Amino acid sequence: MASTSLFSLAVIWLTIFEAKLLWMLKAWEPIDPTQGFLPVPINHSNFEIQRPYDVPEDQRYRFINGVHKLWVFKTDKPHTPSSRTNPRTEIRILGYNYAVGVWQFEAYGYVPGGTSGVCIMQVFGAERHATTLMLRVYDGDLYYFRKPAIVPRICGRWFRLNVIHDVDAGSLKVYVDGVLVHEAAGRGGNMHYFKCGVYAQDNGSFYMESRWKEIRVLKKYV
């Protein structure tokens, strides 16, 4: 009788474990985060290149064969003479500032090995901060701000990045290669826009670089 009860209990626990395992595997199953969204018209005129103010654009940015290459040095100047921020070379999306609704940034990114201590993508604008979201690279891993780490070994390969910002719900979702890797609360604010590139942070490498292609901005229409 006791052995039968133990066997039944073992079967129940095994069933629960299998259900949890299947749920975890499904959670990590790639999806298309753009479903339900429509792309907005965008071209090169929507890309403002923010770079160290004392160097020509072509010394920190190039666009070749559909790939935006952006780089900066730790010793570079900020993007304006009056700025006290760290060095950066970033694409700032123009024409699609937003304050309400559900918006999405999509692009394919590449960060070479050795680039570290750098922000590669931002959702700019917040109530008590400069940004609602920063995706940073430290020692080869992708982080949400300074922590937590959300994707290991992001460097040295192309990855698909989708960031969804639901302003009204105050939420953000980050997908890498179609997998939801992080969810976070919004930070308020009455104006937002997307940026990508390289923006030096703490403990930055001397040289920082990222590459981007097929950049899109999408919006959910109800």
Side-chain angles (χ1 to χ4, degrees):
M1 192 74 163
S3 60
T4 303
S5 298
L6 287 172
F7 177 77
S8 299
L9 188 61
V11 170
I12 291 170
W13 278 108
L14 183 60
T15 303
I16 293 172
F17 174 77
E18 287 178 342
K20 285 185 175 180
L21 182 61
L22 286 171
W23 180 85
M24 290 172 65
L25 289 172
K26 186 152 186 74
W28 283 88
E29 199 173 279
I31 66 167
D32 181 5
T34 67
Q35 285 189 353
F37 288 78
L38 291 174
V40 300
I42 196 168
N43 56 47
H44 213 83
S45 67
N46 296 104
F47 301 149
E48 176 190 5
I49 309 303
Q50 297 182 342
R51 67 187 191 280
Y53 69 82
D54 61 339
V55 297
E57 182 177 294
D58 63 2
Q59 291 186 19
R60 294 295 182 273
Y61 166 82
R62 288 178 191 163
F63 181 66
I64 301 174
N65 297 326
V67 176
H68 305 266
K69 179 180 176 181
L70 306 99
W71 67 98
V72 76
F73 295 93
K74 190 175 182 178
T75 52
D76 275 338
K77 304 287 187 186
H79 63 299
T80 67
S82 60
S83 174
R84 295 175 180 245
T85 59
N86 290 337
R88 73 182 74 198
T89 304
E90 292 182 298
I91 294 173
R92 190 267 211 220
I93 306 294
L94 296 173
Y96 293 106
N97 296 355
Y98 60 93
V100 296
V102 187
W103 292 77
Q104 180 172 175
F105 170 90
E106 180 186 57
Y108 289 85
Y110 181 93
V111 181
T115 289
S116 184
V118 64
C119 171
I120 62 168
M121 190 271 168
Q122 296 189 63
V123 176
F124 193 83
E127 187 174 351
R128 298 177 183 174
H129 306 270
T131 62
T132 284
L133 174 137
M134 269 193 177
L135 295 179
R136 302 183 187 178
V137 173
Y138 291 100
D139 300 322
D141 298 336
L142 186 67
Y143 283 73
Y144 168 74
F145 286 97
R146 193 60 178 91
K147 60 181 180 180
I150 57 176
V151 180
R153 299 182 297 279
I154 197 72
C155 292
R157 66 179 181 90
W158 283 99
F159 55 90
R160 180 189 180 193
L161 177 65
N162 296 80
V163 175
I164 298 174
H165 185 195
D166 187 333
V167 181
D168 304 326
S171 66
L172 296 121
K173 292 182 178 181
V174 180
Y175 292 83
V176 173
D177 296 326
V179 174
L180 178 63
V181 296
H182 192 69
E183 295 184 72
R187 290 182 158 195
N190 54 17
M191 191 272 290
H192 305 280
Y193 53 82
F194 298 123
K195 305 180 78 177
C196 63
V198 280
Y199 176 25
Q201 302 297 309
D202 58 298
N203 300 317
S205 53
F206 179 72
Y207 174 81
M208 291 159 268
E209 178 190 324
S210 71
R211 304 169 200 168
W212 301 88
K213 61 183 181 179
E214 299 177 38
I215 298 171
R216 296 203 300 168
V217 174
L218 304 97
K219 184 180 180 184
K220 181 174 279 189
Y221 294 89
V222 180

PDB file of all heavy atoms in Angstrom, residues 49-52 54-62 69-73 75-77 88-90 198 207-208 210:
ATOM      1  N   ILE A  49      23.133  61.420 -36.981  1.00  0.00           N
ATOM      2  CA  ILE A  49      24.343  60.823 -36.422  1.00  0.00           C
ATOM      3  C   ILE A  49      24.913  61.753 -35.358  1.00  0.00           C
ATOM      4  O   ILE A  49      25.408  62.845 -35.666  1.00  0.00           O
ATOM      5  CB  ILE A  49      25.402  60.552 -37.520  1.00  0.00           C
ATOM      6  CG1 ILE A  49      24.776  59.781 -38.687  1.00  0.00           C
ATOM      7  CG2 ILE A  49      26.576  59.783 -36.920  1.00  0.00           C
ATOM      8  CD1 ILE A  49      24.127  58.476 -38.316  1.00  0.00           C
ATOM      9  N   GLN A  50      24.830  61.333 -34.114  1.00  0.00           N
ATOM     10  CA  GLN A  50      25.417  62.091 -33.011  1.00  0.00           C
ATOM     11  C   GLN A  50      26.814  61.532 -32.750  1.00  0.00           C
ATOM     12  O   GLN A  50      26.961  60.344 -32.453  1.00  0.00           O
ATOM     13  CB  GLN A  50      24.543  61.975 -31.760  1.00  0.00           C
ATOM     14  CG  GLN A  50      23.155  62.562 -31.940  1.00  0.00           C
ATOM     15  CD  GLN A  50      22.297  62.492 -30.687  1.00  0.00           C
ATOM     16  OE1 GLN A  50      22.584  61.735 -29.760  1.00  0.00           O
ATOM     17  NE2 GLN A  50      21.242  63.279 -30.648  1.00  0.00           N
ATOM     18  N   ARG A  51      27.820  62.389 -32.861  1.00  0.00           N
ATOM     19  CA  ARG A  51      29.217  61.952 -32.787  1.00  0.00           C
ATOM     20  C   ARG A  51      30.014  63.001 -32.026  1.00  0.00           C
ATOM     21  O   ARG A  51      29.511  64.102 -31.762  1.00  0.00           O
ATOM     22  CB  ARG A  51      29.784  61.791 -34.196  1.00  0.00           C
ATOM     23  CG  ARG A  51      29.892  63.114 -34.920  1.00  0.00           C
ATOM     24  CD  ARG A  51      30.280  62.997 -36.361  1.00  0.00           C
ATOM     25  NE  ARG A  51      30.622  64.300 -36.941  1.00  0.00           N
ATOM     26  CZ  ARG A  51      29.715  65.188 -37.361  1.00  0.00           C
ATOM     27  NH1 ARG A  51      28.426  64.933 -37.267  1.00  0.00           N
ATOM     28  NH2 ARG A  51      30.117  66.351 -37.868  1.00  0.00           N
ATOM     29  N   PRO A  52      31.273  62.699 -31.659  1.00  0.00           N
ATOM     30  CA  PRO A  52      32.106  63.727 -31.031  1.00  0.00           C
ATOM     31  C   PRO A  52      32.138  64.995 -31.886  1.00  0.00           C
ATOM     32  O   PRO A  52      32.350  64.923 -33.100  1.00  0.00           O
ATOM     33  CB  PRO A  52      33.478  63.057 -30.954  1.00  0.00           C
ATOM     34  CG  PRO A  52      33.172  61.588 -30.891  1.00  0.00           C
ATOM     35  CD  PRO A  52      31.962  61.398 -31.738  1.00  0.00           C
ATOM     36  N   ASP A  54      34.083  67.381 -32.432  1.00  0.00           N
ATOM     37  CA  ASP A  54      35.293  67.924 -33.052  1.00  0.00           C
ATOM     38  C   ASP A  54      35.875  67.041 -34.147  1.00  0.00           C
ATOM     39  O   ASP A  54      36.998  67.280 -34.595  1.00  0.00           O
ATOM     40  CB  ASP A  54      36.352  68.188 -31.984  1.00  0.00           C
ATOM     41  CG  ASP A  54      36.772  66.929 -31.248  1.00  0.00           C
ATOM     42  OD1 ASP A  54      36.014  65.933 -31.253  1.00  0.00           O
ATOM     43  OD2 ASP A  54      37.869  66.942 -30.653  1.00  0.00           O
ATOM     44  N   VAL A  55      35.131  66.016 -34.587  1.00  0.00           N
ATOM     45  CA  VAL A  55      35.644  65.162 -35.667  1.00  0.00           C
ATOM     46  C   VAL A  55      34.597  65.054 -36.772  1.00  0.00           C
ATOM     47  O   VAL A  55      33.389  65.111 -36.501  1.00  0.00           O
ATOM     48  CB  VAL A  55      36.025  63.748 -35.168  1.00  0.00           C
ATOM     49  CG1 VAL A  55      37.157  63.812 -34.165  1.00  0.00           C
ATOM     50  CG2 VAL A  55      34.819  63.026 -34.596  1.00  0.00           C
ATOM     51  N   PRO A  56      35.025  64.911 -38.024  1.00  0.00           N
ATOM     52  CA  PRO A  56      34.067  64.737 -39.123  1.00  0.00           C
ATOM     53  C   PRO A  56      33.276  63.438 -38.957  1.00  0.00           C
ATOM     54  O   PRO A  56      33.750  62.476 -38.334  1.00  0.00           O
ATOM     55  CB  PRO A  56      34.964  64.676 -40.368  1.00  0.00           C
ATOM     56  CG  PRO A  56      36.269  65.264 -39.951  1.00  0.00           C
ATOM     57  CD  PRO A  56      36.413  64.967 -38.493  1.00  0.00           C
ATOM     58  N   GLU A  57      32.095  63.435 -39.526  1.00  0.00           N
ATOM     59  CA  GLU A  57      31.219  62.269 -39.384  1.00  0.00           C
ATOM     60  C   GLU A  57      31.874  60.989 -39.882  1.00  0.00           C
ATOM     61  O   GLU A  57      31.751  59.919 -39.263  1.00  0.00           O
ATOM     62  CB  GLU A  57      29.903  62.520 -40.141  1.00  0.00           C
ATOM     63  CG  GLU A  57      28.903  61.396 -40.018  1.00  0.00           C
ATOM     64  CD  GLU A  57      27.598  61.710 -40.713  1.00  0.00           C
ATOM     65  OE1 GLU A  57      26.893  62.640 -40.254  1.00  0.00           O
ATOM     66  OE2 GLU A  57      27.276  61.027 -41.706  1.00  0.00           O
ATOM     67  N   ASP A  58      32.590  61.078 -41.020  1.00  0.00           N
ATOM     68  CA  ASP A  58      33.150  59.857 -41.590  1.00  0.00           C
ATOM     69  C   ASP A  58      34.311  59.278 -40.790  1.00  0.00           C
ATOM     70  O   ASP A  58      34.833  58.206 -41.122  1.00  0.00           O
ATOM     71  CB  ASP A  58      33.571  60.074 -43.049  1.00  0.00           C
ATOM     72  CG  ASP A  58      34.685  61.104 -43.209  1.00  0.00           C
ATOM     73  OD1 ASP A  58      35.174  61.633 -42.196  1.00  0.00           O
ATOM     74  OD2 ASP A  58      35.059  61.385 -44.366  1.00  0.00           O
ATOM     75  N   GLN A  59      34.732  59.966 -39.726  1.00  0.00           N
ATOM     76  CA  GLN A  59      35.757  59.420 -38.844  1.00  0.00           C
ATOM     77  C   GLN A  59      35.172  58.670 -37.642  1.00  0.00           C
ATOM     78  O   GLN A  59      35.904  58.152 -36.808  1.00  0.00           O
ATOM     79  CB  GLN A  59      36.686  60.531 -38.350  1.00  0.00           C
ATOM     80  CG  GLN A  59      37.568  61.093 -39.451  1.00  0.00           C
ATOM     81  CD  GLN A  59      38.584  62.085 -38.922  1.00  0.00           C
ATOM     82  OE1 GLN A  59      38.887  62.128 -37.731  1.00  0.00           O
ATOM     83  NE2 GLN A  59      39.112  62.904 -39.819  1.00  0.00           N
ATOM     84  N   ARG A  60      33.833  58.618 -37.576  1.00  0.00           N
ATOM     85  CA  ARG A  60      33.180  57.857 -36.507  1.00  0.00           C
ATOM     86  C   ARG A  60      31.963  57.077 -37.009  1.00  0.00           C
ATOM     87  O   ARG A  60      31.369  56.320 -36.232  1.00  0.00           O
ATOM     88  CB  ARG A  60      32.735  58.788 -35.369  1.00  0.00           C
ATOM     89  CG  ARG A  60      33.870  59.455 -34.605  1.00  0.00           C
ATOM     90  CD  ARG A  60      34.712  58.447 -33.843  1.00  0.00           C
ATOM     91  NE  ARG A  60      35.768  59.099 -33.062  1.00  0.00           N
ATOM     92  CZ  ARG A  60      36.974  59.406 -33.519  1.00  0.00           C
ATOM     93  NH1 ARG A  60      37.287  59.116 -34.787  1.00  0.00           N
ATOM     94  NH2 ARG A  60      37.856  59.986 -32.739  1.00  0.00           N
ATOM     95  N   TYR A  61      31.612  57.250 -38.288  1.00  0.00           N
ATOM     96  CA  TYR A  61      30.420  56.565 -38.818  1.00  0.00           C
ATOM     97  C   TYR A  61      30.599  56.284 -40.303  1.00  0.00           C
ATOM     98  O   TYR A  61      31.093  57.132 -41.043  1.00  0.00           O
ATOM     99  CB  TYR A  61      29.174  57.439 -38.608  1.00  0.00           C
ATOM    100  CG  TYR A  61      27.973  56.986 -39.405  1.00  0.00           C
ATOM    101  CD1 TYR A  61      27.157  55.966 -38.947  1.00  0.00           C
ATOM    102  CD2 TYR A  61      27.664  57.594 -40.633  1.00  0.00           C
ATOM    103  CE1 TYR A  61      26.055  55.544 -39.688  1.00  0.00           C
ATOM    104  CE2 TYR A  61      26.558  57.187 -41.373  1.00  0.00           C
ATOM    105  CZ  TYR A  61      25.762  56.153 -40.894  1.00  0.00           C
ATOM    106  OH  TYR A  61      24.694  55.745 -41.619  1.00  0.00           O
ATOM    107  N   ARG A  62      30.170  55.089 -40.700  1.00  0.00           N
ATOM    108  CA  ARG A  62      30.148  54.735 -42.118  1.00  0.00           C
ATOM    109  C   ARG A  62      28.906  53.901 -42.415  1.00  0.00           C
ATOM    110  O   ARG A  62      28.455  53.133 -41.562  1.00  0.00           O
ATOM    111  CB  ARG A  62      31.400  53.927 -42.508  1.00  0.00           C
ATOM    112  CG  ARG A  62      32.668  54.765 -42.557  1.00  0.00           C
ATOM    113  CD  ARG A  62      33.872  53.935 -42.892  1.00  0.00           C
ATOM    114  NE  ARG A  62      35.100  54.689 -42.678  1.00  0.00           N
ATOM    115  CZ  ARG A  62      36.303  54.152 -42.582  1.00  0.00           C
ATOM    116  NH1 ARG A  62      36.448  52.835 -42.685  1.00  0.00           N
ATOM    117  NH2 ARG A  62      37.373  54.900 -42.393  1.00  0.00           N
ATOM    118  N   LYS A  69      28.036  51.380 -39.485  1.00  0.00           N
ATOM    119  CA  LYS A  69      29.135  51.100 -38.561  1.00  0.00           C
ATOM    120  C   LYS A  69      29.415  52.363 -37.749  1.00  0.00           C
ATOM    121  O   LYS A  69      29.664  53.426 -38.315  1.00  0.00           O
ATOM    122  CB  LYS A  69      30.392  50.679 -39.326  1.00  0.00           C
ATOM    123  CG  LYS A  69      31.590  50.402 -38.425  1.00  0.00           C
ATOM    124  CD  LYS A  69      32.818  49.997 -39.244  1.00  0.00           C
ATOM    125  CE  LYS A  69      34.044  49.820 -38.370  1.00  0.00           C
ATOM    126  NZ  LYS A  69      35.251  49.452 -39.168  1.00  0.00           N
ATOM    127  N   LEU A  70      29.344  52.250 -36.435  1.00  0.00           N
ATOM    128  CA  LEU A  70      29.554  53.392 -35.541  1.00  0.00           C
ATOM    129  C   LEU A  70      30.630  53.021 -34.526  1.00  0.00           C
ATOM    130  O   LEU A  70      30.615  51.930 -33.955  1.00  0.00           O
ATOM    131  CB  LEU A  70      28.259  53.747 -34.803  1.00  0.00           C
ATOM    132  CG  LEU A  70      27.026  54.002 -35.673  1.00  0.00           C
ATOM    133  CD1 LEU A  70      26.136  52.748 -35.724  1.00  0.00           C
ATOM    134  CD2 LEU A  70      26.210  55.178 -35.150  1.00  0.00           C
ATOM    135  N   TRP A  71      31.559  53.950 -34.297  1.00  0.00           N
ATOM    136  CA  TRP A  71      32.604  53.686 -33.318  1.00  0.00           C
ATOM    137  C   TRP A  71      32.979  54.973 -32.591  1.00  0.00           C
ATOM    138  O   TRP A  71      32.729  56.081 -33.056  1.00  0.00           O
ATOM    139  CB  TRP A  71      33.816  53.032 -33.966  1.00  0.00           C
ATOM    140  CG  TRP A  71      34.589  53.881 -34.941  1.00  0.00           C
ATOM    141  CD1 TRP A  71      35.738  54.587 -34.690  1.00  0.00           C
ATOM    142  CD2 TRP A  71      34.297  54.103 -36.330  1.00  0.00           C
ATOM    143  NE1 TRP A  71      36.167  55.232 -35.827  1.00  0.00           N
ATOM    144  CE2 TRP A  71      35.303  54.956 -36.844  1.00  0.00           C
ATOM    145  CE3 TRP A  71      33.285  53.671 -37.185  1.00  0.00           C
ATOM    146  CZ2 TRP A  71      35.318  55.372 -38.168  1.00  0.00           C
ATOM    147  CZ3 TRP A  71      33.290  54.096 -38.499  1.00  0.00           C
ATOM    148  CH2 TRP A  71      34.300  54.930 -38.986  1.00  0.00           C
ATOM    149  N   VAL A  72      33.580  54.800 -31.422  1.00  0.00           N
ATOM    150  CA  VAL A  72      33.991  55.940 -30.608  1.00  0.00           C
ATOM    151  C   VAL A  72      35.146  55.499 -29.714  1.00  0.00           C
ATOM    152  O   VAL A  72      35.309  54.302 -29.442  1.00  0.00           O
ATOM    153  CB  VAL A  72      32.794  56.464 -29.761  1.00  0.00           C
ATOM    154  CG1 VAL A  72      32.510  55.560 -28.566  1.00  0.00           C
ATOM    155  CG2 VAL A  72      33.001  57.902 -29.316  1.00  0.00           C
ATOM    156  N   PHE A  73      35.941  56.469 -29.297  1.00  0.00           N
ATOM    157  CA  PHE A  73      37.052  56.194 -28.387  1.00  0.00           C
ATOM    158  C   PHE A  73      36.734  56.763 -27.004  1.00  0.00           C
ATOM    159  O   PHE A  73      36.037  57.778 -26.879  1.00  0.00           O
ATOM    160  CB  PHE A  73      38.355  56.804 -28.920  1.00  0.00           C
ATOM    161  CG  PHE A  73      38.816  56.189 -30.205  1.00  0.00           C
ATOM    162  CD1 PHE A  73      38.465  56.744 -31.431  1.00  0.00           C
ATOM    163  CD2 PHE A  73      39.610  55.046 -30.200  1.00  0.00           C
ATOM    164  CE1 PHE A  73      38.890  56.185 -32.620  1.00  0.00           C
ATOM    165  CE2 PHE A  73      40.036  54.474 -31.383  1.00  0.00           C
ATOM    166  CZ  PHE A  73      39.681  55.041 -32.599  1.00  0.00           C
ATOM    167  N   THR A  75      38.427  58.432 -25.109  1.00  0.00           N
ATOM    168  CA  THR A  75      38.985  59.772 -24.914  1.00  0.00           C
ATOM    169  C   THR A  75      38.322  60.835 -25.784  1.00  0.00           C
ATOM    170  O   THR A  75      38.734  61.998 -25.764  1.00  0.00           O
ATOM    171  CB  THR A  75      40.488  59.750 -25.215  1.00  0.00           C
ATOM    172  OG1 THR A  75      40.704  59.165 -26.512  1.00  0.00           O
ATOM    173  CG2 THR A  75      41.238  58.908 -24.177  1.00  0.00           C
ATOM    174  N   ASP A  76      37.300  60.446 -26.551  1.00  0.00           N
ATOM    175  CA  ASP A  76      36.621  61.394 -27.444  1.00  0.00           C
ATOM    176  C   ASP A  76      35.842  62.458 -26.662  1.00  0.00           C
ATOM    177  O   ASP A  76      35.505  62.286 -25.482  1.00  0.00           O
ATOM    178  CB  ASP A  76      35.653  60.652 -28.363  1.00  0.00           C
ATOM    179  CG  ASP A  76      36.340  60.094 -29.604  1.00  0.00           C
ATOM    180  OD1 ASP A  76      37.414  60.596 -29.970  1.00  0.00           O
ATOM    181  OD2 ASP A  76      35.785  59.150 -30.205  1.00  0.00           O
ATOM    182  N   LYS A  77      35.541  63.546 -27.357  1.00  0.00           N
ATOM    183  CA  LYS A  77      34.696  64.604 -26.815  1.00  0.00           C
ATOM    184  C   LYS A  77      33.227  64.167 -26.849  1.00  0.00           C
ATOM    185  O   LYS A  77      32.861  63.238 -27.569  1.00  0.00           O
ATOM    186  CB  LYS A  77      34.854  65.883 -27.636  1.00  0.00           C
ATOM    187  CG  LYS A  77      36.277  66.394 -27.746  1.00  0.00           C
ATOM    188  CD  LYS A  77      36.746  66.993 -26.445  1.00  0.00           C
ATOM    189  CE  LYS A  77      38.113  67.662 -26.641  1.00  0.00           C
ATOM    190  NZ  LYS A  77      38.667  68.141 -25.361  1.00  0.00           N
ATOM    191  N   ARG A  88      30.089  59.456 -27.520  1.00  0.00           N
ATOM    192  CA  ARG A  88      29.111  58.607 -28.186  1.00  0.00           C
ATOM    193  C   ARG A  88      29.204  58.773 -29.695  1.00  0.00           C
ATOM    194  O   ARG A  88      29.611  59.822 -30.199  1.00  0.00           O
ATOM    195  CB  ARG A  88      27.696  58.962 -27.745  1.00  0.00           C
ATOM    196  CG  ARG A  88      27.205  60.271 -28.334  1.00  0.00           C
ATOM    197  CD  ARG A  88      25.812  60.632 -27.853  1.00  0.00           C
ATOM    198  NE  ARG A  88      25.832  61.095 -26.464  1.00  0.00           N
ATOM    199  CZ  ARG A  88      24.758  61.142 -25.682  1.00  0.00           C
ATOM    200  NH1 ARG A  88      23.598  60.708 -26.132  1.00  0.00           N
ATOM    201  NH2 ARG A  88      24.839  61.609 -24.468  1.00  0.00           N
ATOM    202  N   THR A  89      28.809  57.741 -30.401  1.00  0.00           N
ATOM    203  CA  THR A  89      28.425  57.844 -31.802  1.00  0.00           C
ATOM    204  C   THR A  89      27.146  57.026 -31.918  1.00  0.00           C
ATOM    205  O   THR A  89      27.163  55.802 -31.816  1.00  0.00           O
ATOM    206  CB  THR A  89      29.493  57.295 -32.758  1.00  0.00           C
ATOM    207  OG1 THR A  89      30.744  57.964 -32.509  1.00  0.00           O
ATOM    208  CG2 THR A  89      29.085  57.531 -34.201  1.00  0.00           C
ATOM    209  N   GLU A  90      26.040  57.731 -32.083  1.00  0.00           N
ATOM    210  CA  GLU A  90      24.735  57.077 -32.063  1.00  0.00           C
ATOM    211  C   GLU A  90      23.869  57.545 -33.230  1.00  0.00           C
ATOM    212  O   GLU A  90      23.997  58.681 -33.687  1.00  0.00           O
ATOM    213  CB  GLU A  90      23.976  57.392 -30.768  1.00  0.00           C
ATOM    214  CG  GLU A  90      24.564  56.788 -29.513  1.00  0.00           C
ATOM    215  CD  GLU A  90      23.713  57.119 -28.301  1.00  0.00           C
ATOM    216  OE1 GLU A  90      23.559  58.321 -27.974  1.00  0.00           O
ATOM    217  OE2 GLU A  90      23.182  56.182 -27.683  1.00  0.00           O
ATOM    218  N   VAL A 198      26.932  53.463 -30.153  1.00  0.00           N
ATOM    219  CA  VAL A 198      27.834  53.255 -29.018  1.00  0.00           C
ATOM    220  C   VAL A 198      27.882  54.526 -28.171  1.00  0.00           C
ATOM    221  O   VAL A 198      28.129  55.614 -28.693  1.00  0.00           O
ATOM    222  CB  VAL A 198      29.266  52.857 -29.472  1.00  0.00           C
ATOM    223  CG1 VAL A 198      29.342  51.388 -29.819  1.00  0.00           C
ATOM    224  CG2 VAL A 198      29.749  53.687 -30.657  1.00  0.00           C
ATOM    225  N   TYR A 207      38.296  51.430 -27.192  1.00  0.00           N
ATOM    226  CA  TYR A 207      37.607  51.505 -28.480  1.00  0.00           C
ATOM    227  C   TYR A 207      36.278  50.774 -28.356  1.00  0.00           C
ATOM    228  O   TYR A 207      36.210  49.655 -27.834  1.00  0.00           O
ATOM    229  CB  TYR A 207      38.472  50.863 -29.571  1.00  0.00           C
ATOM    230  CG  TYR A 207      37.806  50.763 -30.921  1.00  0.00           C
ATOM    231  CD1 TYR A 207      37.760  51.849 -31.780  1.00  0.00           C
ATOM    232  CD2 TYR A 207      37.220  49.563 -31.336  1.00  0.00           C
ATOM    233  CE1 TYR A 207      37.162  51.751 -33.035  1.00  0.00           C
ATOM    234  CE2 TYR A 207      36.622  49.458 -32.584  1.00  0.00           C
ATOM    235  CZ  TYR A 207      36.585  50.557 -33.426  1.00  0.00           C
ATOM    236  OH  TYR A 207      35.990  50.456 -34.659  1.00  0.00           O
ATOM    237  N   MET A 208      35.209  51.417 -28.831  1.00  0.00           N
ATOM    238  CA  MET A 208      33.870  50.823 -28.775  1.00  0.00           C
ATOM    239  C   MET A 208      33.229  50.902 -30.149  1.00  0.00           C
ATOM    240  O   MET A 208      33.296  51.944 -30.803  1.00  0.00           O
ATOM    241  CB  MET A 208      33.008  51.573 -27.754  1.00  0.00           C
ATOM    242  CG  MET A 208      33.442  51.372 -26.305  1.00  0.00           C
ATOM    243  SD  MET A 208      32.866  52.666 -25.188  1.00  0.00           S
ATOM    244  CE  MET A 208      34.259  53.800 -25.236  1.00  0.00           C
ATOM    245  N   SER A 210      29.756  49.324 -32.686  1.00  0.00           N
ATOM    246  CA  SER A 210      28.619  48.456 -32.990  1.00  0.00           C
ATOM    247  C   SER A 210      28.193  48.694 -34.430  1.00  0.00           C
ATOM    248  O   SER A 210      28.482  49.752 -35.005  1.00  0.00           O
ATOM    249  CB  SER A 210      27.450  48.676 -32.024  1.00  0.00           C
ATOM    250  OG  SER A 210      26.827  49.929 -32.252  1.00  0.00           O
TER     251      SER A 210
END
